[in-house]
Amino acid sequence: MKAEIKLALTMGLLGGVVVFLFGGWSVTVLGILIGVFMGLSIGGRVNKKDGPRKLALQSLSTAGIAAVVFIAVSLFQNYVVAPAGGQFPSELYIVIPANLIGGLGMILFTALTAALHGLPDRQERLGKLILMVVLVIAFPFIDRITGLHWSGQIIFALIFVILGLGLNIVVGFAGLLDFGYAAFFAIGAYTTGILSSPQHHIFMNFWLVIWIALAMAALWGLILGTPTLRLRGDYLAIVTLGCGEMMPIIFRNLTNVTIKEPLTCWIIPGIMRLFNSSAATKCITIIDNLDLTAGEKGINPIGRPYLPFIGEFQSNNPIPWYFLIILLILLSVFLIRRLRDGRLGRAWMACREDQDAAVQMGIDPVHTKLTAFALGAAFSGFAGAFYAAYIRGIFPSVFEFSTSIIVLCIVVLGGMGNINGVILGGIIIMGADRLFLPALKDLLKGLMDHTILPALTSNHTLQAVVAQNANPILYRYLLFGLTLVIMMALRPEGIIPSAQIRAELHADEETSAVEKAVKN
Amino acid sequence: MKSFFRRFMRPIIAILVIYLVFLLGPIAGLDFPIIVGRIQESPKMLVQFLIIGLANGAIVAIIALGYTMVYGIIELINFAHGDVYMIGVFTALSTLSVTGALTTNNPVHLVLGIVAALVVAMIVCASLNVGIERLAYRRLRNAPRLAALISAIGMSFIVENIGLIWAAQSWLVPSFGTTGGGAQKSFPDLLSKIMISLNLDPNLLASTGLGLRFTIKDLLVIVLASILMIGLRFFIQNTRLGKAMRATAQNRDAAKMMGINIDRVISITFLIGGGLAGAAGLMAGLYNNTAWWFMGFRAGIQAFTAAVLGGIGNITGAMLGGFLIGLLAAFSDGYMDARWTNLWVFAVLVLILIFRPTGLLGEQVGEKA
């Protein structure tokens, strides 16, 4: 019972923190989401035999406490924090239904999800699936009705989920640390950009380009992987970092490409000059002054997908984009699961656990690693194509080292080798980066301007210093860095660990436990 | 037929690769006719680039020592090391600002300020590096190596963020026109100022009439770097602690059995590496006259490349590698295309790791990933 109260308080406050930043209708959306989440966590500890009805009733108390905490925080935000930040509190006709639906939704969905645990296994899985599908489909519409405008940022998060899924093949399944993953993202995006932008007078259909981008990324995975994958461990990591850093430099500087055939242009004339011959050869110029990537200015605009009935996807309507990226994720997850469970996936994991033993079993390590590298890269081609079409413009600075590390953060946080973990990690990391931090910035700025700074009027330098540093966006890198360091120190296997990785990472704890036991 | 292929495969591939370099190299500035033409035009410039390369290489070498010492002892790429150096630049700049050396014209005050900046930068960076080891690496010493590497990357991001916030503090970092933490800050050219206030020409070769520049900045960097390198060599070869470090690098368990306090030795390694990075920070600030929160990343990669080039774990190798990388960068800036210099540094890193991971002077480093 104590554990349940703790859970209820954590969940209520967790939701409250987010509501704190957004206010308004976010109460409703979060109430439902947290309800589902709470139901899932309760389900892990209950007695399955009790049956759905009893479980639902049992969960009610927890859900009730959480809902009360949650609504209390929400009201506190609306009537205390918002005025302190210089905003008007929401009107009653929004506050009452929003909080009511949010609180009731939380209780209802907790009970519903908890009840699912009481069903037989197959029905339970089916029920959860239906619940998930309903939530995923309903999200953009709720988002639009409530006017929260989270969809645009959630789409970013989902792009990074695909990247995380791809990197997970390389890092999680095959155990190859890749610090240059953004390079393949860049290749996918630039392929799309070059093939469907007026800058190059090529207008290919997005539905075709996305596959070309995928193939290009995979091809470059093969090209970069072939020489590098002989290395092991940290040397491989650094080589991938080097390759990954070369890509933005290349894309930044390919602004006037001239290729002259060297034999005819200077080798033969040079030799002739050595022998004092005056015979001239004709210099063959293959490409003359081609502006391939437009440097810092980037490629834009880029063509967008078009579908009958929907028309061309527009930037002011995120719903088609949302469903497109969800489809891409589903496709990726399907493919990755098939790969993981097949012969190739098992070979990856065997190589990860012990390469020498795997070779003895007849696995070709180079081939295995190369496929992991190329397939991992292929999914970032997907993400790159979608990203280019969605943003409508690509710039080299997007694909630098920090992007590779953000994707690595997603994989590490969610759990290396676990698909669900990576999806959760992507949503947490990118949600924090794209939604949470900007909202926190606005909140802090409002509080600073209206409440805290006036209290410091006596000291103008201090006032300036505080105002300048109270910007959470400044601390973005700190957030990613801390995620990596803390996860590695406390829970290297991630939030949702894969069983094998956990065993591997805690191997020496086991041996030391055995040693202790022997000593005693 | 088959033996024919086997026999000529390698030369054919080699010729193909050389042809491809000739064909595509010019895109990235590697255009031999142009390079040869420029060298013929003014051979004096070659000497000039040699000087610039040596001075920059000295800074890279000092940073590289920190990488190579840590790798030699715990086989970890201390990814945050480049960022520790960046903190060194900012510490030096802030110390100079606080001591008033930035605004004075009194040569004694300036020299004292620079000495103070050197000492403070070394102390701050050394403690930072030791702290990083305590917080992020120590508990991962027996974990898989990749876990420690990921932690190192995380630490690097944290230190970069500290630099970004530091750069935004106008009361610590004078801005000289640029504002905001993200912008590059200027680091005043104090050495030339000392020379001018003493009525001397900052260019030491001005009176020779050769038309070359060898300034007080070059001299200071090369002299200070040499002192630090010789001091480090002496410390490692001739002192008890240096011996303990070498023993730990060779075999940690055996060293432990001989009664060496491993934790202490590792801490001291990080301490020395950090101190060197701090000194490099002051030198780089005085030499290149910029301070930027992101400069540690590029410098770190260059230094790591230098360490690998010389043979990681090998201290003489790191010095050699540093000078080579400095020369490469200067040569690329001067004769090829400055936009592509970083690409060539990365290319050297990738090629050396693929084809000769032991480096130029390296002994075999155990590969036990």
Side-chain angles (χ1 to χ4, degrees):
Chain A
M1 199 60 210
K2 212 173 169 188
E4 269 150 32
I5 292 173
K6 207 172 134 196
L7 176 76
L9 287 178
T10 342
M11 287 292 176
L13 287 175
L14 197 74
V17 168
V18 183
V19 170
F20 222 81
L21 300 178
F22 296 99
W25 279 98
S26 64
V27 188
T28 313
V29 178
L30 272 159
I32 293 171
L33 284 180
I34 286 186
V36 172
F37 212 74
M38 199 153 56
L40 288 177
S41 358
I42 291 175
R45 329 184 177 145
V46 291
N47 189 356
K48 205 166 166 56
K49 282 192 206 113
D50 283 348
R53 188 172 302 163
K54 200 165 171 199
L55 286 182
L57 287 175
Q58 274 177 359
S59 71
L60 277 182
S61 56
T62 321
I65 298 172
V68 169
V69 174
F70 182 62
I71 289 177
V73 176
S74 150
L75 292 177
F76 178 71
Q77 188 272 339
N78 197 32
Y79 290 110
V80 180
V81 181
Q87 292 167 332
F88 294 108
S90 306
E91 300 289 342
L92 267 185
Y93 66 86
I94 292 180
V95 175
I96 293 174
N99 282 303
L100 214 58
I101 301 175
L104 286 179
M106 185 186 258
I107 295 173
L108 184 74
F109 275 87
T110 312
L112 189 69
T113 326
L116 285 175
H117 281 284
L119 294 170
D121 273 343
R122 254 188 81 183
Q123 286 174 26
E124 183 192 338
R125 224 172 306 146
L126 189 71
K128 277 186 191 167
L129 193 70
I130 293 172
L131 189 67
M132 277 299 175
V133 169
V134 169
L135 278 181
V136 166
I137 291 180
F139 172 76
F141 299 104
I142 296 178
D143 181 60
R144 170 175 277 189
I145 294 166
T146 53
L148 284 172
H149 302 299
W150 286 357
S151 294
Q153 308 302 334
I154 290 291
I155 289 170
F156 269 105
L158 295 177
I159 294 174
F160 273 78
V161 165
I162 297 195
L163 287 174
L165 287 171
L167 185 64
N168 184 39
I169 297 180
V170 185
V171 177
F173 295 163
L176 309 164
L177 197 50
D178 184 351
F179 284 160
Y181 193 66
F184 305 120
F185 185 35
I187 286 168
Y190 268 95
T191 308
T192 312
I194 288 168
L195 290 181
S196 58
S197 123
Q199 242 152 310
H200 292 275
H201 307 288
I202 308 173
F203 302 96
M204 269 196 193
N205 191 324
F206 175 81
W207 307 113
L208 181 64
V209 168
I210 192 167
W211 298 105
I212 299 177
L214 180 107
M216 273 304 268
L219 181 70
W220 275 93
L222 281 180
I223 292 174
L224 294 181
T226 309
T228 54
L229 286 173
R230 288 186 297 171
L231 297 166
R232 283 189 185 185
D234 44 5
Y235 272 29
L236 176 71
I238 295 296
V239 166
T240 53
L241 187 159
C243 293
E245 270 306 286
M246 281 156 93
M247 279 303 157
I249 301 179
I250 291 175
F251 285 126
R252 183 166 289 142
N253 291 330
L254 283 183
T255 46
N256 51 345
V257 184
T258 305
I259 299 180
K260 288 180 173 169
E261 207 280 334
L263 271 176
T264 56
C265 283
W266 58 274
I267 296 179
I268 292 173
I271 293 170
M272 288 207 168
R273 211 184 312 154
L274 279 183
F275 293 110
N276 282 325
S277 153
S278 60
T281 45
K282 197 171 179 299
C283 177
I284 302 170
T285 306
I286 301 170
I287 296 176
D288 193 23
N289 251 330
L290 173 76
D291 186 354
L292 193 64
T293 60
E296 286 300 348
K297 280 177 293 174
I299 300 178
N300 76 76
I302 291 170
R304 304 191 135 167
Y306 175 90
L307 273 185
F309 306 114
I310 298 172
E312 191 173 70
F313 289 20
Q314 297 300 332
S315 40
N316 55 11
N317 180 12
I319 292 179
W321 295 104
Y322 176 83
F323 284 108
L324 176 59
I325 190 93
I326 291 284
L327 266 181
L328 287 179
I329 289 181
L330 286 180
L331 180 65
S332 306
V333 169
F334 172 74
L335 290 175
I336 291 171
R337 286 179 77 137
R338 301 289 296 184
L339 282 168
R340 180 194 62 186
D341 297 336
R343 197 184 161 79
L344 190 59
R346 281 175 284 139
W348 287 338
M349 289 177 210
C351 271
R352 179 188 71 199
E353 300 300 327
D354 188 338
Q355 190 178 331
D356 298 328
V359 171
Q360 294 303 311
M361 293 291 125
I363 292 171
D364 178 0
V366 176
H367 174 254
T368 312
K369 287 179 180 178
L370 209 53
T371 44
F373 215 66
L375 288 169
F379 288 101
S380 72
F382 257 168
F386 182 89
Y387 176 84
Y390 179 60
I391 301 291
R392 260 208 132 177
I394 37 174
F395 311 95
S397 54
V398 178
F399 306 104
E400 275 178 352
F401 183 60
S402 55
T403 309
S404 300
I405 297 306
I406 291 171
V407 182
L408 185 71
C409 255
I410 288 171
V411 175
V412 166
L413 179 74
M416 282 186 257
N418 186 307
I419 294 174
N420 296 338
V422 171
I423 294 175
L424 184 67
I427 290 171
I428 293 178
I429 292 265
M430 292 312 288
D433 186 30
R434 290 252 165 195
L435 282 172
F436 199 81
L437 281 185
L440 188 65
K441 179 192 161 201
D442 292 342
L443 175 75
L444 269 181
K445 193 167 168 4
L447 282 180
M448 283 288 155
D449 290 347
H450 290 89
T451 315
I452 298 177
L453 290 186
L456 290 172
T457 34
S458 51
N459 190 339
H460 282 282
T461 28
L462 187 67
Q463 206 176 8
V465 169
V466 170
Q468 186 189 20
N469 291 314
N471 177 3
I473 307 275
L474 262 181
Y475 303 88
R476 243 183 108 218
Y477 275 45
L478 199 69
L479 186 83
F480 297 129
L482 279 177
T483 311
L484 288 177
V485 173
I486 292 174
M487 288 309 284
M488 278 301 125
L490 300 179
R491 204 176 156 92
E493 65 272 23
I495 300 177
I496 311 181
S498 105
Q500 285 156 322
I501 297 246
R502 175 159 40 185
E504 192 185 338
L505 284 167
H506 291 280
D508 61 73
E509 279 162 36
E510 264 163 47
T511 44
S512 59
V514 171
E515 272 167 23
K516 263 182 209 158
V518 169
K519 266 182 207 159
N520 296 339
Chain B
M1 198 63 198
K2 210 171 178 185
S3 68
F4 173 83
F5 266 126
R6 202 166 289 165
R7 201 161 150 204
F8 291 103
M9 200 61 174
R10 295 194 86 160
I12 288 173
I13 290 181
I15 289 173
L16 237 131
V17 167
I18 291 174
Y19 183 79
L20 274 179
V21 168
F22 284 164
L23 186 70
L24 301 176
I27 300 175
L30 189 65
D31 197 337
F32 288 98
I34 291 181
I35 294 172
V36 172
R38 280 185 192 162
I39 293 176
Q40 277 176 346
E41 215 172 88
S42 73
K44 214 189 275 171
M45 290 304 284
L46 199 62
V47 183
Q48 187 65 63
F49 289 135
L50 210 70
I51 295 173
I52 297 174
L54 271 181
N56 268 323
I59 297 171
V60 173
I62 296 285
I63 308 171
L65 287 173
Y67 277 105
T68 218
M69 280 165 55
V70 167
Y71 197 90
I73 285 201
I74 53 173
E75 295 197 346
L76 165 77
I77 300 166
N78 178 12
F79 214 87
H81 192 74
D83 302 301
V84 171
Y85 147 84
M86 176 271 298
I87 292 290
V89 180
F90 278 108
T91 316
L93 185 56
S94 297
T95 313
L96 289 171
S97 163
V98 169
T99 54
L102 291 182
T103 44
T104 177
N105 273 324
N106 179 359
V108 180
H109 190 168
L110 278 166
V111 171
L112 286 179
I114 290 173
V115 172
L118 179 69
V119 172
V120 174
M122 286 178 82
I123 291 174
V124 167
C125 289
S127 356
L128 179 64
N129 218 15
V130 172
I132 289 173
E133 195 267 336
R134 278 306 312 248
L135 285 177
Y137 306 151
R138 183 165 290 183
R139 60 162 77 215
L140 293 174
R141 211 173 282 159
N142 294 320
R145 261 212 279 173
L146 297 189
L149 190 55
I150 292 173
S151 189
I153 292 272
M155 218 57 219
S156 153
F157 267 51
I158 294 174
V159 177
E160 268 173 27
N161 208 144
I162 295 173
L164 177 66
I165 293 159
W166 190 325
Q169 311 307 318
S170 44
W171 49 283
L172 267 177
V173 180
S175 59
F176 302 109
T178 53
T179 51
Q184 297 205 19
K185 304 283 176 182
S186 104
F187 194 119
D189 187 0
L190 297 179
L191 292 170
S192 305
K193 205 165 153 189
I194 295 178
M195 293 298 275
I196 290 167
S197 66
L198 292 172
N199 280 326
L200 293 167
D201 195 323
N203 182 4
L204 302 176
L205 293 181
S207 54
T208 59
L210 285 172
L212 287 174
R213 276 183 73 79
F214 182 78
T215 60
I216 180 84
K217 294 198 282 187
D218 300 287
L219 184 73
L220 176 104
V221 164
I222 292 173
V223 167
L224 192 54
S226 310
I227 294 174
L228 288 171
M229 287 185 209
I230 294 168
L232 180 70
R233 252 203 100 76
F234 177 82
F235 174 79
I236 290 192
Q237 296 296 340
N238 299 23
T239 60
R240 252 179 96 80
L241 250 160
K243 208 174 186 179
M245 277 169 70
R246 280 181 290 145
T248 314
Q250 245 174 27
N251 188 331
R252 207 189 303 167
D253 293 333
K256 208 171 184 175
M257 285 175 204
M258 294 296 126
I260 293 171
N261 183 347
I262 302 291
D263 283 343
R264 198 165 139 246
V265 168
I266 292 175
S267 281
I268 286 172
T269 310
F270 274 85
L271 187 86
I272 295 173
L276 290 173
L282 174 78
M283 288 195 275
L286 287 175
Y287 189 75
N288 293 326
N289 305 115
T290 49
W292 189 32
W293 67 279
F294 200 62
M295 68 196 289
F297 178 69
R298 285 284 146 78
I301 296 278
Q302 284 199 352
F304 182 74
T305 309
V308 176
L309 187 63
I312 196 151
N314 183 323
I315 288 179
T316 325
M319 301 175 193
L320 176 73
F323 285 120
L324 286 178
I325 290 294
L327 288 178
L328 170 78
F331 185 81
S332 167
D333 279 347
Y335 287 110
M336 288 150 70
D337 191 339
R339 291 187 304 168
W340 292 93
T341 299
N342 277 320
L343 182 94
W344 291 110
V345 174
F346 286 125
V348 169
L349 173 68
V350 169
L351 291 178
I352 201 94
L353 279 177
I354 293 173
F355 293 108
R356 200 182 153 80
T358 52
L360 296 177
L361 303 181
E363 307 110 61
Q364 191 63 49
V365 181
E367 266 288 5
K368 22 178 183 169

